[in-house]
Amino acid sequence: ELKVEQNPLFLSMQEGKNYTIYCNYSTTSDRLYWYRQDPGKSLESLFVLLSNGAVKQEGRLMASLDTKARLSTLHITAAVHDLSATYFCAVGLLFQGGSEKLVFGKGMKLTVNP
Amino acid sequence: DTEVTQTPKHLVMGMTNKKSLKCEQHMGHRAMYWYKQKAKKPPELMFVYSYEKLSINESVPSRFSPECPNSSLLNLHLHALQPEDSALYLCASSLTWGAGGYTFGSGTRLTVV
């Protein structure tokens, strides 16, 4: 059974600081997705990583994927309050009938303090 | 149109009621999904329709019944639910698998009383 582990699960950081969060998974996959969720809201897609060595950046966030280490990182640069949310990583697995299912980590709750 | 539209946004139902959740997309996506998210937990897959063929996550009880009338519409029929079924139900779509990413709807917050 695939396990997806995020580390840390809770992070409180100051504005302007940098931090890296980690997503480890237990089986072979080259499909890794990052999502943001605000309280009571749906999931907002941040990054789609589909190959070993993939790196994508959007604003203050940068994500990377190392399929050999089964590890993805999400780096936060110069955090601002608006980044406060829960961040999920999800691994894509082949499912029935050629479809794909996402298996999510537990999520990391980020609080950025002024 | 780059959205997945879910209705209703909120639903309160009794354990003997029958209700349906609806989901619609017009992005030409050929795969549509239902995910269930309990409070402070990650989403979990319930059903996938890929090219209108159903795949079921085996742990989902039969009181949930999906329907895909066409490639743009997805319903989730609810019958004889239990209070523990209270959750946020998220619909998503993708091209086939998630190569272009998944687009999630805003969700239906369901409360079973």
Side-chain angles (χ1 to χ4, degrees):
Chain A
E1 180 186 343
L2 171 62
K3 292 185 179 179
V4 182
E5 295 183 350
Q6 291 186 236
N7 179 32
L9 296 181
F10 298 92
L11 176 61
S12 180
M13 60 188 298
Q14 283 188 309
E15 281 190 328
K17 298 295 187 182
N18 304 331
Y19 203 87
T20 299
I21 62 179
Y22 299 90
C23 175
N24 293 274
Y25 54 98
S26 62
T27 195
T28 301
S29 176
D30 56 3
R31 302 175 185 176
L32 195 293
Y33 307 84
W34 283 97
Y35 292 91
R36 168 183 171 144
Q37 188 173 39
D38 292 294
K41 303 294 185 181
S42 185
L43 297 171
E44 174 190 354
S45 179
L46 296 175
F47 300 106
V48 178
L49 304 170
L50 299 177
S51 61
N52 186 40
V55 178
K56 292 194 176 180
Q57 182 164 5
E58 181 73 33
R60 300 175 187 276
L61 300 178
M62 183 173 70
S64 66
L65 178 61
D66 181 343
T67 59
K68 294 179 181 178
R70 300 177 185 171
L71 171 68
S72 180
T73 62
L74 182 66
H75 186 73
I76 303 165
T77 301
V80 293
H81 180 70
D82 285 350
L83 289 179
S84 298
T86 296
Y87 292 83
F88 289 98
C89 65
V91 175
L93 280 185
L94 284 178
F95 193 48
Q96 304 161 18
S99 64
E100 181 183 69
K101 70 182 246 184
L102 296 180
V103 179
F104 287 82
K106 290 183 177 180
M108 185 209 71
K109 184 173 182 180
L110 172 65
T111 303
V112 180
N113 302 303
Chain B
D1 187 353
T2 58
E3 289 187 348
V4 173
T5 303
Q6 288 187 245
T7 56
K9 295 195 182 305
H10 300 274
L11 178 63
V12 179
M13 61 184 291
M15 289 188 283
T16 59
N17 291 159
K18 289 184 180 180
K19 297 286 185 182
S20 297
L21 309 184
K22 298 184 183 301
C23 176
E24 187 170 5
Q25 58 88 15
H26 296 288
M27 295 178 280
H29 288 176
R30 297 310 301 269
M32 296 185 75
Y33 311 79
W34 283 113
Y35 281 83
K36 174 183 178 179
Q37 186 178 24
K38 300 275 286 180
K40 299 189 185 303
K41 298 290 186 182
E44 294 184 348
L45 179 70
M46 300 177 74
F47 304 102
V48 179
Y49 271 97
S50 179
Y51 287 89
E52 294 157 53
K53 179 181 176 182
L54 174 64
S55 299
I56 303 171
N57 205 7
E58 58 189 23
S59 62
V60 177
S62 60
R63 55 187 182 267
F64 295 92
S65 174
E67 178 195 16
C68 187
N70 59 57
S71 59
S72 298
L73 296 173
L74 184 65
N75 300 319
L76 185 62
H77 302 298
L78 314 173
H79 174 56
L81 295 193
Q82 302 297 309
E84 60 263 30
D85 297 320
S86 299
L88 181 67
Y89 288 83
L90 294 165
C91 175
S93 71
S94 67
L95 280 170
T96 48
W97 55 277
Y102 294 81
T103 303
F104 281 83
S106 57
T108 295
R109 188 159 300 280
L110 174 67
T111 303
V112 182
V113 297

